[in-house]
Amino acid sequence: MHAAVIGLGTHLPPRLVTNEELAARLDTSDEWITSRTGIRTRHWAEPGTATGDLATEAGLRALKSAGTAPGDIDVVVLATTTPDHPCPATAPDVASRLGLGPVPAYDIAAVCSGFLYALAIGQSQIVAQQARTVLVIGAETYSTILNPDDRTTGVIFGDGAGAVVLAAREDTDRPGALLGAHLGSDGAHKDLIRVPAGGSRYPITADMPEADRYFTMEGPAVFRQAVVRMGESATTLLHRVGWAADEVDHLVGHQANARILTALAGQLDIPVERTVVNIDRVGNTSAASIPLALAHAARQGRLAPGDRILMSAFGGGLTWGSVALTWPDITPL
């Protein structure tokens, strides 16, 4: 038994935040942000809107895209770094709000690699015949963990959610098939991307520095690690599934930085015009990044059923991964 993508749904909060808006209160400019990141706008959730709200809407749209009834979902896997609460997990609440019944539902935390980790987990559930239909969601509200005075992180991240429905299939010949995954991690570099406080290692106290409650990132080191790790992972997966680089129709990398995407394409020897880019519109949406990019390309008419898609991501942990699939005959919602 194999897994195939049969539906895709996304959701962005309506508030659009421009570079000019951020430049008005931070020591930066539109030119500085665009030249270093490729980002021009991003969406931020309004106060009171949580990750679970975005995930629920994206999940609902994915079900509609797939033509799948809520009662047909067997498992929910939600990738997020910004859960509604430290405890409990957000996925059970999302499953309840979608009317899925008492199905297994759980969060995974792999930061920007989260969606690909969740895809691999959903695929494994189907291959092991523990489920026939899985709802995989990546959702984030990074605006809630950003230091409002830090221009290095405050201009990069956006909020959003994307979800796919995976279904069991007996062969991989039909469009939509997940053909393989490669995952990796290196905890020796865990401090490159983190929120220092809030866990059992460093509980929040009344007298701690406020900055320790916010997301931090060592940008140059992360850039170098991202290109190397994503390139190695993608190359390993290409060998595993038997694809040559020139047979990849679309490279969908995690939308962290436009220069990273260009460097990754060059490392893999994939023409840069085959790279899907929407970071200019939505910023870095972490676990929601890849499904949002897929939906963007599909709505542009770039993706045709059967196209070979190579996805690769890198995030905190450090974590990284790649997934190969053939594009399904679907309409993203």
Side-chain angles (χ1 to χ4, degrees), residues 78-142:
L78 171 60
T80 187
T81 312
T82 55
D84 289 4
H85 308 280
C87 176
T90 304
D93 180 52
V94 172
S96 176
R97 293 169 65 182
L98 289 172
L100 307 185
V103 299
Y106 50 91
D107 294 1
I108 66 162
V111 195
C112 300
S113 306
F115 183 75
L116 296 189
Y117 266 65
L119 270 184
I121 291 169
Q123 179 188 36
S124 297
Q125 294 265 282
I126 290 173
V127 171
Q129 299 187 39
Q130 298 297 309
R132 290 194 60 83
T133 312
V134 180
L135 179 61
V136 175
I137 307 173
E140 303 285 11
T141 49
Y142 254 69

Side-chain angles (χ1 to χ4, degrees), residues 22 97 123 138 170 192 241 274 283 311 314:
L22 296 178
R97 293 169 65 182
Q123 179 188 36
E170 293 185 355
L192 293 182
V241 301
R274 297 187 189 180
M311 300 175 285
F314 174 88

Side-chain angles (χ1 to χ4, degrees), residues 197-220:
S200 61
R201 180 71 63 189
Y202 186 13
I204 291 177
T205 61
D207 59 349
M208 71 166 37
E210 183 180 4
D212 287 354
R213 307 184 187 196
Y214 295 122
F215 177 91
T216 66
M217 180 174 64
E218 300 293 333

Side-chain angles (χ1 to χ4, degrees), residues 245-258:
D246 61 3
E247 294 177 318
V248 174
D249 295 304
H250 306 282
L251 173 61
V252 185
H254 164 54
Q255 306 289 302
N257 182 295

Side-chain angles (χ1 to χ4, degrees), residues 19-175:
N19 288 348
E20 289 81 5
E21 177 181 339
L22 296 178
R25 64 176 178 80
L26 295 172
D27 181 21
T28 187
S29 66
D30 172 59
E31 189 278 332
W32 188 93
I33 298 169
T34 304
S35 65
R36 285 161 176 78
T37 68
I39 300 168
R40 297 185 181 278
T41 61
R42 73 287 292 147
H43 293 254
W44 283 358
E46 296 288 356
T49 298
T51 294
D53 300 323
L54 305 185
T56 299
E57 183 61 31
L60 178 63
R61 295 180 184 186
L63 292 174
K64 290 182 178 179
S65 171
T68 300
D72 292 335
I73 297 296
D74 299 314
V75 179
V76 178
V77 187
L78 171 60
T80 187
T81 312
T82 55
D84 289 4
H85 308 280
C87 176
T90 304
D93 180 52
V94 172
S96 176
R97 293 169 65 182
L98 289 172
L100 307 185
V103 299
Y106 50 91
D107 294 1
I108 66 162
V111 195
C112 300
S113 306
F115 183 75
L116 296 189
Y117 266 65
L119 270 184
I121 291 169
Q123 179 188 36
S124 297
Q125 294 265 282
I126 290 173
V127 171
Q129 299 187 39
Q130 298 297 309
R132 290 194 60 83
T133 312
V134 180
L135 179 61
V136 175
I137 307 173
E140 303 285 11
T141 49
Y142 254 69
S143 62
T144 63
I145 61 171
L146 297 177
N147 186 334
D149 299 321
D150 181 6
R151 74 169 185 172
T152 61
T153 59
V155 302
I156 294 173
F157 292 90
D159 302 338
V164 299
V165 177
L166 300 180
R169 294 287 185 263
E170 293 185 355
D171 60 66
T172 59
D173 293 334
R174 295 169 60 183

